[in-house]
Each structure stands twice: as C-alpha cells, then as structure tokens.
Amino acid sequence: MSAERSLDDELTSAVIPDAPTEEVRTGPLKRDLVAGLEKGLAVIEAFDQERPRLTISEVAGRTGLTRAAARRYLLTLTHLGFVSQDRKMFALTPKVLRLGQSYMHSARLPRIIEPELHKLAYAMKEASSAGVLDGNDVICISATSAGRVVSPTLQPGTRVPAYCTANGRVLLAAQSQADVDAFIARQELTALTPHTIVHPERLRIEIARARAQGYALIDQELEQGLRSVSVPLKNYKGDTVAAMAISVHASRMSMEQMVEHCLPPLLQAQAHLRMLL
C-alpha cells in the first residue's frame, strides 16, 4: 500500500463528526437590528460579475424582497449615488468601492499582513495573497503580484469559492468537523476545471489533509494553470484569523517544487505574524 493511500485511509477514518452539543443562541435580539440596513446591503450584494445590471424584478427575486420594496431600495441607493439607472436597468456605481476602502484603510488585519506579503512576493518572485472566510467564499484582503500577473482573482476584494482554493481549504480545516460537514452539504460543487474536486467525500478528505499537514496545496482546481500553497495565519491564542498563499503558474513550478521552495518561507511568515496578530 502506498504512503499516499495510507494517508488517505488515515484521514478518512479521522473525519468523524463532533459529538452533538447543546446549541447556545448568541447574537443581538431581532428588535435591536435595523432591517432596512440589512435589506439595503442585500440589494447591493445582488449585483455580481454574472449579473452587473438588474431590473427591479430581478433584484426582488435575488433578495426575497417584494417588487415594491426592491424599487424603493434601488431608488434610495440611486439617490445616494451607489446605484445608477438606465431605463429599467440598474447597476452599481464606483461609489460602492468606498465601503470596501473603509475596511481596507481601517482594519488592522490587512495592514499587519501586507508587509509580509510583499516580502514573500519579492523574495520568491511569485504572487502572494491573504484571505478570510465569508460564508461559502474566501475574500482576498491583501495581495501583491511582484510583477507577475498570475490570476485576476489575486486582488484585494475578490471573492472565490472556498472549496477549491488553497486559502479556503486551510480556513475550512480550522473549523470543527460538524461545521465542515455543514459547509460541504450546502455546496454546489462545480468543476471549474478538469482538476476541481467535486466529490463531497474526497473534498472532506482534502480538508482533513490540510488540517493534518498544516497547509493546503491546490493544483489547478480554481483556474487552469494556477497552483497555490497556503498556510493558516493564527493569532497569539492559536485561533485561525486568515490564510496566506503563494500562487504560481503551473508551467513554472511543479507541485513538489512548491512544497520545497514556497512552503518554508510561508511557514516563516506564519511564525512571524503570529507574534503580531
């Protein structure tokens, strides 16, 4: 039996759901929440790369609002300058970027991670990025290309599926097995490339592998020709707060070379950042 097969068997046996625990309700009471703000943000999130322009009916369908409510929110956002209108079609304006810039300029996490990303990128002459988990996706909070344009997804603010990315795998590996199982159960595992893992059990094994190894290695699962290796970024308490990756074009580096050349500097950056996070 090969070493890889033995590891797969070991990881499979290790993927056992956590014992059920009594659920504790946390968070604010409903009466303390501003429903209008929640719905207005949902309208903004209804626009994406596939649907950059929407009608009132389409916004209503994507947000669960009535058509009348969707109309009021769109007209309000248009009045505030976050949305533009062209006859029956609505689209986001560049002013929406202010929301993301407020985070990038004020948040502590990107400011601490960015210098390490630059050191990695220019030492390795490869792209580096950091991301956090947001629902089913990973949002890039900082990135640098070192002059190599590897992928358009390696930019601050971009959102990519967690199940087929290196940063996503290590962030999922930091969660409980029950949370991982729930994540996999709600996914539509789409083959973005011929290499994408779409079988739930195989994905579960790969997440367990990332947990056991302390890093995740992805071979062209998100984009053809894109390889990435990622490590979790932990704070002084040992909690995973983000993930950091180096990404290369497949023609420049094999998977074995990535582990040999890219993983050690990633682990050094990981250790340095743990003292700062």
Side-chain angles (χ1 to χ4, degrees):
M1 180 180 294
S2 67
E4 182 178 358
R5 179 63 180 275
S6 298
L7 178 57
D8 284 351
D9 292 343
E10 181 180 345
L11 292 173
T12 302
S13 62
V15 180
I16 301 174
D18 294 340
T21 57
E22 184 179 352
E23 183 178 353
V24 179
R25 184 178 295 276
T26 60
L29 298 174
K30 188 174 182 180
R31 66 171 180 266
D32 294 325
L33 301 177
V34 180
L37 176 59
E38 180 181 0
K39 293 173 183 176
L41 292 173
V43 169
I44 291 176
E45 291 181 339
F47 297 87
D48 56 25
Q49 186 174 356
E50 285 72 32
R51 294 179 175 85
R53 300 173 74 243
L54 297 170
T55 64
I56 292 174
S57 296
E58 288 170 335
V59 169
R62 302 200 79 189
T63 59
L65 297 170
T66 65
R67 190 180 184 282
R71 175 180 177 274
R72 291 197 301 273
Y73 283 107
L74 284 168
L75 291 179
T76 301
L77 289 168
T78 300
H79 171 69
L80 294 174
F82 291 102
V83 169
S84 64
Q85 181 180 3
D86 181 12
R87 298 182 182 180
K88 294 184 178 181
M89 305 302 296
F90 292 84
L92 299 181
T93 70
K95 189 174 182 179
V96 173
L97 292 173
R98 289 188 184 181
L99 303 177
Q101 287 174 341
S102 295
Y103 170 76
M104 298 303 295
H105 293 160
S106 65
R108 179 173 176 268
L109 190 58
R111 288 186 286 113
I112 291 176
I113 293 174
E114 188 172 356
E116 288 298 322
L117 288 181
H118 281 285
K119 290 179 185 177
L120 279 173
Y122 286 98
M124 301 297 300
K125 299 295 186 287
E126 302 290 353
S128 64
S129 63
V132 295
L133 200 61
D134 181 46
N136 296 335
D137 301 328
V138 172
I139 296 179
C140 181
I141 60 171
S142 186
T144 183
S145 66
R148 291 190 186 274
V149 180
V150 182
S151 167
T153 64
L154 301 177
Q155 299 179 39
T158 55
R159 178 184 292 268
V160 293
Y163 71 90
C164 59
T165 55
N167 278 341
R169 294 263 175 91
V170 295
L171 290 169
L172 289 169
Q175 298 189 348
S176 69
Q177 190 58 49
D179 287 340
V180 171
D181 290 339
F183 170 87
I184 294 175
R186 66 176 181 263
Q187 299 305 302
E188 293 184 8
L189 300 177
T190 303
L192 302 180
T193 76
H195 303 273
T196 309
I197 293 175
V198 294
H199 191 281
E201 188 57 35
R202 183 61 187 171
L203 177 59
R204 190 173 285 108
I205 290 172
E206 290 304 317
I207 294 172
R209 188 192 304 276
R211 184 183 296 121
Q213 295 180 154
Y215 68 90
L217 192 63
I218 297 294
D219 184 14
Q220 307 177 79
E221 292 192 45
L222 176 66
E223 293 180 21
Q224 194 73 29
L226 180 66
R227 288 175 173 156
S228 299
V229 58
S230 171
V231 298
L233 296 180
K234 300 182 180 183
N235 60 19
Y236 69 97
K237 296 185 294 185
D239 300 324
T240 297
V241 297
M244 174 184 286
I246 292 177
S247 299
V248 308
H249 196 276
S251 63
R252 290 200 299 273
M253 203 173 293
S254 68
M255 298 287 280
E256 292 76 13
Q257 289 173 323
M258 290 198 68
V259 173
E260 181 180 354
H261 299 299
C262 298
L263 184 58
L266 270 175
L267 293 174
Q268 290 178 2
Q270 178 193 55
H272 181 239
L273 285 169
R274 185 163 185 167
M275 298 184 292
L276 303 175
L277 295 175

